[in-house]
Amino acid sequence: MKLPFAALALLSFVLSACSSLSGYTCTDSLGCVVIENNENIKIASLLTTSGPDQVYGLDALRGVEIAIADKGKLLGHHIELVKADDQCEAKAGEEAARTLAADPKIVGVIGATCSNASLPAAKILSDAGLVLISPSSTAPSLTDPATHQPGFLRVIYNDKIQGKAVAEFAFSILGLSRMLTIHDGTPYPKELQATACESLRQMGGECVAQIDLSQVTDLASALQAASTAQPDVIYFPLYTADGVTTIKAIYQLGLANAALISSDGLLSNDFLQKAHPFAEGMYFSGPALPQAPETFLQKYKSRYGEGPIAVYHLQGYDAANMLFLAIQQAAVGVGNKTYIPRQKLRQALYDMRNVQGLSTVITCSPSGDCAQQQIAIFQARNGNFTAIYP
């Protein structure tokens, strides 16, 4: 049975209210956030809101803001959102996480947008006793049991699944077997293309060359050299700026006879516009999003004056509601104070099972993977993304 957030929230509120009948001493191993009667419950976002990749973070942030508006009050308190920018960079993610971790009133954080920002942020925030729920960081290392940080969870798929889906599409649907990959050396592109290559090898194909943009000074020369291996598919799961540069170089060198595939780092209208007309006909892997409820889309358009600008608005909404539900399950009310035990909050997130969100059914694994692993392949057609597989 899949339980929606609203039903679980009502049950949690009743249970938490009962605890106010007795006294309370915080003995939680990670401590408690203490909220006075007239204070707001503070949560934070750590998302990309500036730079060339801001559409992904802004789209998720809008989902968070809509969730806050829908929720209204939480345990009788207004919800206050503290916004931080990860800039889709490791250093910025680390610095912002340190700032958030220093605020003892912040209960939990939604983010980061990019995996290279989530990696340092997850360590800092976990050490501070906070939780970090990402709507879009997909790097396998984030939830690998050997490297997973205990405060990190995500409501987006693991790139072990996305890389396999790309390889299956190239090999089984397009009939291609010789892949050239291009990445920038950061966790998301590097780990994703590695997974795609491993999956392709298992099917009988091969990655004939792998270009690391952080190690080359002349992309054109690197592409020209790699083309001698005669790839029939070029896979470049990059972010916007590098994606635009790469696809233009591919066309200028006459290599576009190979199938061009990217992933969710370029799955935005912003990329299509900046890469026009070269992106037409390209393939992209990304979340197989269900149709957003019309009421949600109306709220989005009414609030922001446009429809969704990327593919993470539903995940942002679900990440916020996960946090709200966990807060309600963990909170203890005593007199005019509300206590939120941090370890109990963390455990409430890991204990979620079969909760119906807008983007997925949420069931969290011990290492923080909470989403159903559903990937779709899209093609750029007439300036839009059209789902074509499966």
Side-chain angles (χ1 to χ4, degrees):
M1 178 179 176
K2 300 169 186 175
L3 297 176
F5 282 114
L8 286 169
L10 177 60
L11 176 60
S12 300
F13 179 79
V14 172
L15 292 175
S16 65
C18 292
S19 65
S20 66
L21 297 177
S22 61
Y24 179 78
T25 299
C26 179
T27 59
D28 189 88
S29 60
L30 296 178
C32 295
V33 181
V34 183
I35 304 165
E36 302 291 341
N37 187 50
N38 60 349
E39 286 187 312
N40 297 334
I41 290 180
K42 289 174 70 173
I43 68 169
S45 62
L46 177 57
L47 298 165
T48 305
T49 54
S50 65
D53 304 302
Q54 64 179 313
V55 291
Y56 305 107
L58 288 173
D59 191 56
L61 177 59
R62 290 174 175 183
V64 173
E65 291 174 336
I66 293 170
I68 292 172
D70 282 354
K71 187 65 179 175
K73 287 187 175 182
L74 180 57
L75 299 175
H77 298 267
H78 291 289
I79 302 168
E80 178 182 345
L81 179 63
V82 178
K83 300 176 185 178
D85 184 2
D86 69 24
Q87 299 178 38
C88 198
E89 295 178 357
K91 183 177 180 180
E94 178 179 350
E95 291 175 351
R98 291 192 188 283
T99 299
L100 296 176
D103 187 340
K105 290 291 187 177
I106 290 177
V107 180
V109 184
I110 308 301
T113 298
C114 299
S115 295
N116 60 342
S118 278
L119 281 166
K123 169 71 167 130
I124 292 164
L125 294 171
S126 289
D127 287 349
L130 282 92
V131 294
L132 177 67
I133 309 171
S134 178
S136 55
S137 291
T138 54
S141 58
L142 284 164
T143 55
D144 186 313
T147 53
H148 172 246
Q149 295 298 323
F152 180 82
L153 304 97
R154 60 182 167 205
V155 66
I156 187 72
Y157 45 71
N158 186 317
D159 273 340
K160 287 183 178 180
I161 307 300
Q162 183 166 213
K164 182 179 180 181
V166 168
E168 287 177 345
F169 176 73
F171 189 84
S172 301
I173 303 303
L174 298 182
L176 307 175
S177 61
R178 298 178 62 78
M179 181 181 285
L180 160 64
T181 69
I182 305 168
H183 65 90
D184 67 3
T186 62
Y188 158 70
K190 184 177 182 179
E191 294 179 29
L192 179 49
Q193 62 84 36
T195 299
C197 285
E198 177 59 28
S199 295
L200 187 63
R201 281 191 287 269
Q202 291 177 0
M203 295 172 196
E206 65 175 317
C207 277
V208 296
Q210 294 167 287
I211 297 175
D212 181 347
L213 296 179
S214 68
Q215 301 297 317
V216 301
T217 56
D218 184 351
L219 175 58
S221 296
L223 278 170
Q224 194 69 62
S227 69
T228 61
Q230 298 183 314
D232 52 20
V233 57
I234 302 177
Y235 179 46
F236 50 108
L238 300 169
Y239 294 116
T240 303
D242 284 336
V244 171
T245 299
T246 296
I247 194 170
K248 288 181 178 180
I250 288 170
Y251 270 86
Q252 288 168 356
L253 292 170
L255 304 179
N257 57 317
L260 305 182
I261 305 178
S262 188
S263 287
D264 46 3
L266 296 182
L267 195 60
S268 74
N269 289 330
D270 182 58
F271 170 73
L272 292 185
Q273 292 167 4
K274 291 178 178 177
H276 181 76
F278 306 110
E280 184 69 14
M282 264 188 71
Y283 302 104
F284 304 80
S285 62
L289 290 177
Q291 180 62 44
E294 188 59 34
T295 53
F296 178 91
L297 294 176
Q298 289 172 354
K299 291 172 186 174
Y300 193 111
K301 293 174 183 176
S302 175
R303 188 177 182 112
Y304 303 108
E306 60 184 340
I309 56 176
V311 292
Y312 299 119
H313 44 283
L314 297 184
Q315 283 89 349
Y317 186 90
D318 285 347
N321 275 300
M322 284 176 65
L323 182 57
F324 300 158
L325 177 56
I327 289 171
Q328 288 175 291
Q329 291 177 331
V332 179
V334 180
N336 291 327
K337 294 182 179 180
T338 299
Y339 294 82
I340 303 174
R342 291 194 182 278
Q343 179 58 42
K344 187 177 179 183
L345 171 69
R346 188 176 285 181
Q347 193 59 50
L349 287 165
Y350 282 103
D351 286 344
M352 286 192 183
R353 297 288 182 274
N354 295 317
V355 178
Q356 182 65 63
L358 293 187
S359 67
T360 187
V361 176
I362 298 165
T363 295
C364 295
S365 75
S367 58
D369 277 318
C370 298
Q372 289 185 330
Q373 308 296 307
Q374 296 176 318
I375 310 294
I377 302 296
F378 303 84
Q379 187 174 32
R381 296 178 178 175
N382 300 315
N384 294 297
F385 295 102
T386 300
I388 61 170
Y389 177 81

